[in-house]
Amino acid sequence: MDHERKIMMCLVLAVICSSVLGQEWTADVVKSIDALVGSCVVLPCTVSHPGTYLSTSRLRGIWHRKDKSNEIFYHEDSTQILDSFKGRTRLLGNLGQNNCTLEIVQVKDHDNGPFCFRIELVRKDTNQPTTEKYSFVEKCADVTMIHDKPQLKLGPIKTATQGKPYTLTCSVHHTCPSHFPQIKWSRERKDDDITEVHKHIHSGVWEAESILSFVPEEKDDESELTCTATFNGGIKSEAKFTLNVKRQQNYNHIIIPAVAVTATAVIFGLFCVLMVKKYKKRIQELQSQDGRSWMTMMTDPKIEASN
């Protein structure tokens, strides 16, 4: 009975070991990517195996040249790294979590690879490599060196209105998410609002975006706004925009004189009406007096005798 149990346990261990140490390891590495010379670049990489979880301490990740596996770009033992890459490469990911992403800083003209990933299983007690090694030379990363500064994108370009909220966006694509470009505005006042957004576009390409929101004043008309992006390594790129501010419509120069003229006309009209009424009354009084005088002359006998 004990013999059968031992056989069963051996079979189970054999199945586990065969699944973990089999030839079904896979890696997914970005095929091609741009790198800004003098800055940094990140090569996305994932590795997987069909077996159970393996801790990072059991795994060793190595990046090497495709046609020369002994030319190593990254190794945990820095003495094995090519002199031209020493101190400039590191693994960003955790191999135990299937992340083999590589970062290269201070990018140089000769950093064009191709970069291939290899993983090794090591003994837990001695940290020495086993015979289990997997090199994924069929999936390597080609890096294109970029010397020109990345172009910043400003938008939307439109006329602002005095006193009304205005929003302007400045964005740039890059390939180094471990060191996002720092975007600054020439206008950063106390009441301004600035929001930063970082988005993954595709295949290792990211977008850094800064959104500036403010309320323009009349004095801001024809002022120049500058957006500056500073990349890792101190490389800077900028974009400029002349802000046009439309003034709020103000009808006071029309309304006030019109009201004054209208009020004057009303007052003058009322004055004329009162004067007309006054003179009409006076005329009536005079006419009334003349009528009484005539009647008195017609009826007074003394007046008749003298005539």
Side-chain angles (χ1 to χ4, degrees):
M1 190 73 176
D2 291 338
H3 181 67
E4 292 180 353
R5 286 181 178 178
K6 289 180 180 179
I7 293 175
M8 289 296 295
M9 289 183 65
C10 289
L11 290 173
V12 171
L13 288 174
V15 170
I16 294 174
C17 290
S18 63
S19 63
V20 173
L21 304 177
Q23 299 298 320
E24 298 184 30
W25 288 68
T26 60
D28 187 14
V29 180
V30 63
K31 291 182 180 180
S32 63
I33 196 166
D34 293 338
L36 178 61
V37 175
S39 184
C40 58
V41 64
V42 171
L43 310 182
C45 172
T46 56
V47 61
S48 61
H49 59 81
T52 56
Y53 169 78
L54 289 173
S55 66
T56 301
S57 61
R58 292 290 316 280
L59 301 171
R60 175 178 295 153
I62 299 170
W63 284 84
H64 61 87
R65 200 180 300 277
K66 182 175 183 178
D67 52 349
K68 296 179 180 179
S69 60
N70 62 326
E71 294 190 4
I72 296 176
F73 304 123
Y74 169 80
H75 195 289
E76 63 181 33
D77 180 4
S78 61
T79 62
Q80 299 194 41
I81 300 176
L82 289 168
D83 289 341
S84 59
F85 280 89
K86 284 183 178 179
R88 299 198 296 116
T89 59
R90 67 172 176 138
L91 279 184
L92 292 182
N94 188 319
L95 294 176
Q97 298 177 354
N98 303 330
N99 192 333
C100 47
T101 298
L102 178 71
E103 177 196 66
I104 306 173
V105 297
Q106 301 172 26
V107 172
K108 303 182 185 301
D109 284 325
H110 58 70
D111 294 349
N112 52 351
F115 295 83
C116 303
F117 179 69
R118 182 168 81 240
I119 194 165
E120 300 177 350
L121 271 71
V122 299
R123 292 182 175 86
K124 187 175 181 180
D125 52 349
T126 64
N127 199 36
Q128 294 300 312
T130 67
T131 57
E132 302 295 333
K133 301 177 182 180
Y134 305 93
S135 189
F136 308 97
V137 293
E138 74 284 355
K139 292 185 177 181
C140 301
D142 286 312
V143 180
T144 302
M145 300 298 112
I146 302 298
H147 295 84
D148 296 332
K149 296 177 181 179
Q151 296 296 313
L152 307 186
K153 181 180 179 181
L154 282 175
I157 303 299
K158 60 181 181 180
T159 300
T161 301
Q162 177 189 352
K164 292 187 177 181
Y166 184 78
T167 299
L168 189 63
T169 299
C170 179
S171 61
V172 65
H173 286 184
H174 65 96
T175 56
C176 190
S178 58
H179 300 281
F180 287 117
Q182 301 297 311
I183 300 179
K184 299 292 183 181
W185 295 90
S186 58
R187 173 197 172 103
E188 291 188 5
R189 299 179 186 174
K190 182 180 178 180
D191 296 332
D192 295 351
D193 181 61
I194 299 176
T195 304
E196 291 187 3
V197 180
H198 300 286
K199 296 180 287 186
H200 183 229
I201 306 301
H202 62 83
S203 303
V205 178
W206 289 72
E207 181 182 65
E209 182 180 68
S210 180
I211 304 170
L212 171 66
S213 300
F214 63 97
V215 178
E217 303 174 12
E218 184 177 346
K219 65 181 181 180
D220 294 322
D221 188 33
E222 296 187 358
S223 62
E224 187 176 75
L225 289 176
T226 302
C227 169
T228 303
T230 304
F231 300 85
N232 176 259
I235 300 171
K236 294 186 178 182
S237 181
E238 66 178 28
K240 296 182 179 181
F241 168 64
T242 300
L243 180 66
N244 292 317
V245 179
K246 182 172 65 176
R247 293 168 176 78
Q248 285 274 30
Q249 293 294 336
N250 190 340
Y251 296 102
N252 289 341
H253 64 289
I254 299 175
I255 295 174
I256 293 175
V259 170
V261 170
T262 303
T264 302
V266 170
I267 294 172
F268 182 75
L270 290 174
F271 177 77
C272 291
V273 170
L274 292 174
M275 291 301 294
V276 169
K277 286 184 176 180
K278 180 178 179 180
Y279 281 106
K280 280 185 175 181
K281 184 177 180 181
R282 180 60 178 163
I283 291 170
Q284 289 177 353
E285 289 177 353
L286 291 173
Q287 289 177 344
S288 175
Q289 290 177 2
D290 290 342
R292 287 197 297 271
S293 298
W294 174 255
M295 290 298 297
T296 302
M297 290 175 63
M298 292 295 296
T299 54
D300 192 340
K302 293 180 179 180
I303 296 174
E304 289 180 0
S306 62
N307 290 335

